[in-house]
Amino acid sequence: MDKLNTGRHISGKFNDELDAVRTQVMNMGGLVEQQLRDSLVAIENSDHELAEQVLQRDYKINALEVQIDEACVQIIAKRQPAASDLRLIIAIFKTIADLERIGDEAERIARVALESFNNDQQQFLVSLENLGQQVLAMLHGVLDAFARMDLDSAYEVHQMDAQADRQYEGLTRQLMTYMMEDPRGIPKVMNVLWSARSLERIGDRCQNIAEYIIFFVKGKDVRHVSPESMARTVGRPQPKQED
């Protein structure tokens, strides 16, 4: 076999390995998304059985993280990727770490679903559900963006986090007011508060994954940059300055 064909063979094998790893990431992401969705349904319907299923499935996410991690290490050792291939591997390493932590947060939310709440406290579960749907949309969107390495979709998810933060802050104020008015409900309401915090963190994790996608596509690290710099990187109009 001549050198040219050998190069093509090696390149083809390399691409197959990268595609296999990306498929594993999407499988992991799908499981994480299902965990979050089931946790929210369990809270909404006070479904203890579904909450228990979420708790029992968490190990699968952890196992996938380890498998993907090992596969990436093997690719680096064998192929010594450079340029965009190396950026993809780095993006995958970071993405699976955030997905694993999203799975942990979904598990915490499921534990709240095992609690019982009185009629007065049900209103906070509705607000929690609204925040949950916003964050679930972010997770679905960023996984879709990762599958296609879609710059525009990643940027849209990144911008959605501000709305999730506002919902979280509003719910936190509601919960604080309720606890001051009725101290007897503090233990249960604190559980709702911790769930809201978990959802807010999931939103942040989705924003992180969006940044990894931008890093892969553009080759620029956009963590901790200004909104204006982010917009320039992805080729979007500059955000308007508030008076």
Side-chain angles (χ1 to χ4, degrees):
M1 184 182 292
D2 59 35
K3 291 182 178 180
L4 179 60
N5 287 333
T6 300
R8 286 177 178 173
H9 174 71
I10 292 173
S11 177
K13 290 277 290 184
F14 185 19
N15 289 335
D16 289 344
E17 291 169 0
L18 287 176
D19 287 343
V21 170
R22 287 181 65 174
T23 298
Q24 282 186 298
V25 175
M26 295 313 303
N27 290 338
M28 182 181 181
L31 180 55
V32 170
E33 184 179 353
Q34 188 63 52
Q35 287 284 87
L36 178 56
R37 180 177 288 108
D38 286 349
S39 294
L40 295 171
V41 171
I43 285 182
E44 181 182 7
N45 299 329
S46 298
D47 190 332
H48 292 189
E49 182 178 350
L50 183 58
E52 289 288 357
Q53 290 176 15
V54 172
L55 300 181
Q56 293 169 9
R57 287 197 302 252
D58 185 64
Y59 79 94
K60 294 182 179 180
I61 296 173
N62 298 335
L64 277 170
E65 182 190 20
V66 172
Q67 291 173 18
I68 297 168
D69 203 309
E70 291 175 350
C72 288
V73 169
Q74 288 295 319
I75 288 175
I76 291 173
K78 291 192 302 181
R79 307 299 185 188
Q80 298 180 341
S84 64
D85 292 331
L86 180 58
R87 292 203 305 272
L88 176 59
I89 296 295
I90 292 171
I92 288 173
F93 270 129
K94 292 176 176 290
T95 294
I96 61 173
D98 274 310
L99 287 175
E100 191 276 332
R101 289 176 176 86
I102 291 173
D104 288 344
E105 300 294 354
E107 181 184 14
R108 293 187 183 98
I109 295 168
R111 292 188 185 281
V112 175
L114 298 174
E115 300 281 345
S116 298
F117 297 89
N118 63 36
N119 291 333
D120 291 337
Q121 295 162 350
Q122 287 292 328
Q123 61 178 311
F124 303 119
L125 297 184
V126 173
S127 297
L128 188 68
E129 170 67 13
N130 292 336
L131 174 59
Q133 290 304 315
Q134 168 73 11
V135 172
L136 186 60
M138 290 181 66
L139 178 58
H140 181 80
V142 84
L143 289 173
D144 182 63
F146 185 91
R148 297 179 289 112
M149 284 300 166
D150 188 312
L151 185 69
D152 290 334
S153 296
Y155 181 71
E156 293 297 335
V157 171
H158 197 278
Q159 298 303 103
M160 289 171 66
D161 189 58
Q163 182 180 348
D165 287 344
R166 287 192 294 271
Q167 285 185 275
Y168 168 69
E169 290 165 4
L171 178 55
T172 299
R173 286 194 296 269
Q174 281 184 301
L175 295 171
M176 292 298 185
T177 300
Y178 181 87
M179 287 189 287
M180 287 188 290
E181 293 175 350
D182 185 6
R184 294 172 300 176
I186 287 177
K188 291 290 179 63
V189 177
M190 282 300 297
N191 285 332
V192 178
L193 182 61
W194 294 131
S195 293
R197 178 58 175 156
S198 287
L199 289 171
E200 192 272 338
R201 285 174 175 166
I202 291 173
D204 290 344
R205 301 288 181 191
C206 292
Q207 194 175 49
N208 290 347
I209 296 172
E211 291 173 355
Y212 308 148
I213 295 169
I214 295 170
F215 166 72
F216 168 71
V217 175
K218 287 293 189 177
K220 293 184 179 180
D221 189 344
V222 293
R223 294 174 299 172
H224 316 304
V225 301
S226 68
E228 294 79 15
S229 179
M230 171 77 75
R232 284 195 300 271
T233 299
V234 300
R236 289 296 188 93
Q238 298 295 302
K240 292 182 179 180
Q241 295 290 337
E242 296 183 2
D243 296 332

